[in-house]
Amino acid sequence: MTTPPPRQRRSLSRRTLLLGGLGALAAVGVPTTIALTRTPAPTPSAANLAPSATLTGHTSWVYSVAFSPDGTTLATGGRYSTVRLWDVASHNTVATLTGHTDDVSSVAFSPDGTTLATGSLDDTVRLWDVASRKTIATLTGHTDDVSSVAFSPDGTTLATGSLDDTVRLWDVASRKTIATLTGHTDNVSPVAFSPDGTTLATSSADISSFEGTVRLWDVAGRNTVATLTGHTGYVHSVAFSPDGTTLATGSLDDTVRLWDVASRNTVATLTGHTGWVFSVAFSPDGKTLATGSLDDTVRLWDVAGHNTVATLTGHTDRVYSVAFSPDGKTLATGSLDSTVRLWPTR
């Protein structure tokens, strides 16, 4: 195998975390010194739910899933530069968006549903017109893989996290960078706005110690207001509760933490997954948290009781992304088994 140039070698080593752990390095033939045993999930004691549909069409790993605000369309991003739009009712692909030149790591709809943002390992962000399914802008500036994209609640700002250790804020109308947030000392993966748009949550990894932190930023002031520590592994996902009082974080220490946003203290550590936790999402009513893991399962947690209420099994590889439909009745999950599953939650 041809030895990658220096910049590519750097990206491959750091993509270990971004693209599903050691499988990313194994796929490209890069040796690793980190030992990992993927322990099969135990037989769940909570209720099992069957998926209502399995969406096939991706030819490799699915990294990100997102529902449109009206719940009629699902966007999925995956390996080999692929973005797909699916009709949720019929379960059919209605469009395949092409243009990126590397894996698509993150997808997000604007609050009005007219625009789709996609982040890619080609270091760019694309904005797509959902109706015409055409690229309307390519945002450049990051100098390494773009790992995550998130619109502000009012749709005027886009936040992006990158393996160049920075977070960028973009003006959606002008398509210009309005701020570059620095402070993280390693790659930034998830980014999430609070429901009122005043706070941005981001997380990073310190590869040398294999630990990570979460930062809370004042969006207007563009400064860090808190750094949350406690996880003993890289924090791979963040999500605010719908009322903005709680932050959920999923980590490569196999746990999920719930944080009180006001006090910035951990209020619960959720255990049960037997592998890294890649994705977290609150239901629209804030009562349920969904988490996807390296153990190939999805767990549904009662947020108030801090306990598992269901374990969803069926994926045959790590579950990399989870998202609730706007009405809360359906959960979408994207997996490195190349499929997307839709699960009834009510």
Side-chain angles (χ1 to χ4, degrees):
M1 177 177 178
T2 303
T3 302
R7 189 264 182 189
Q8 187 178 357
R9 282 200 299 270
R10 174 175 178 266
S11 290
L12 289 176
S13 64
R14 302 180 85 188
R15 287 184 192 184
T16 300
L17 302 180
L18 175 62
L19 301 184
L22 300 183
L25 294 188
V28 294
V30 177
T32 113
T33 57
I34 303 171
L36 172 66
T37 300
R38 295 179 68 235
T39 306
T43 301
S45 58
N48 274 306
L49 300 177
S52 58
T54 299
L55 310 184
T56 59
H58 281 284
T59 58
S60 191
W61 305 340
V62 179
Y63 298 134
S64 186
V65 297
F67 281 97
S68 62
D70 64 5
T72 62
T73 304
L74 184 75
T76 58
R79 206 173 181 201
Y80 304 131
S81 316
T82 306
V83 180
R84 284 181 176 251
L85 300 181
W86 308 79
D87 178 76
V88 174
S90 69
H91 309 151
N92 293 326
T93 300
V94 294
T96 301
L97 310 183
T98 60
H100 281 297
T101 58
D102 207 333
D103 300 358
V104 178
S105 59
S106 187
V107 296
F109 282 95
S110 61
D112 65 6
T114 62
T115 304
L116 182 75
T118 57
S120 172
L121 306 196
D122 64 13
D123 305 352
T124 71
V125 177
R126 285 184 176 243
L127 300 180
W128 309 79
D129 179 75
V130 174
S132 68
R133 295 153 189 173
K134 296 185 180 299
T135 300
I136 54 178
T138 301
L139 310 183
T140 60
H142 280 298
T143 58
D144 210 330
D145 308 342
V146 177
S147 57
S148 53
V149 295
F151 280 97
S152 61
D154 64 5
T156 62
T157 304
L158 183 75
T160 58
S162 171
L163 270 65
D164 66 11
D165 309 346
T166 71
V167 178
R168 285 184 176 242
L169 299 180
W170 308 79
D171 179 78
V172 174
S174 69
R175 296 149 193 176
K176 303 290 186 183
T177 299
I178 54 178
T180 301
L181 309 183
T182 59
H184 282 301
T185 59
D186 217 301
N187 52 291
V188 178
S189 187
V191 297
F193 280 97
S194 60
D196 64 6
T198 62
T199 304
L200 183 74
T202 64
S203 75
S204 177
D206 178 352
I207 298 298
S208 62
S209 64
F210 214 50
E211 295 180 2
T213 63
V214 177
R215 284 183 177 241
L216 300 181
W217 306 79
D218 175 69
V219 175
R222 296 160 190 171
N223 60 293
T224 301
V225 294
T227 301
L228 310 183
T229 60
H231 278 295
T232 58
Y234 168 37
V235 182
H236 201 276
S237 51
V238 294
F240 282 95
S241 61
D243 64 5
T245 62
T246 304
L247 183 75
T249 56
S251 171
L252 304 197
D253 64 10
D254 304 352
T255 73
V256 178
R257 284 184 177 239
L258 300 180
W259 308 79
D260 179 79
V261 174
S263 69
R264 290 136 194 186
N265 293 325
T266 300
V267 295
T269 300
L270 310 183
T271 60
H273 278 298
T274 58
W276 300 348
V277 180
F278 290 127
S279 187
V280 296
F282 281 96
S283 60
D285 63 8
K287 295 179 179 179
T288 304
L289 183 75
T291 58
S293 172
L294 179 78
D295 65 16
D296 305 350
T297 73
V298 177
R299 284 185 176 243
L300 301 181
W301 308 81
D302 176 67
V303 174
H306 307 155
N307 60 290
T308 301
V309 294
T311 302
L312 312 184
T313 61
H315 279 298
T316 57
D317 206 333
R318 60 209 74 184
V319 180
Y320 211 72
S321 185
V322 296
F324 280 96
S325 61
D327 63 7
K329 295 180 180 179
T330 304
L331 180 74
T333 58
S335 170
L336 300 201
D337 66 9
S338 308
T339 70
V340 177
R341 288 182 179 236
L342 301 180
W343 310 80
T345 57
R346 296 180 187 174

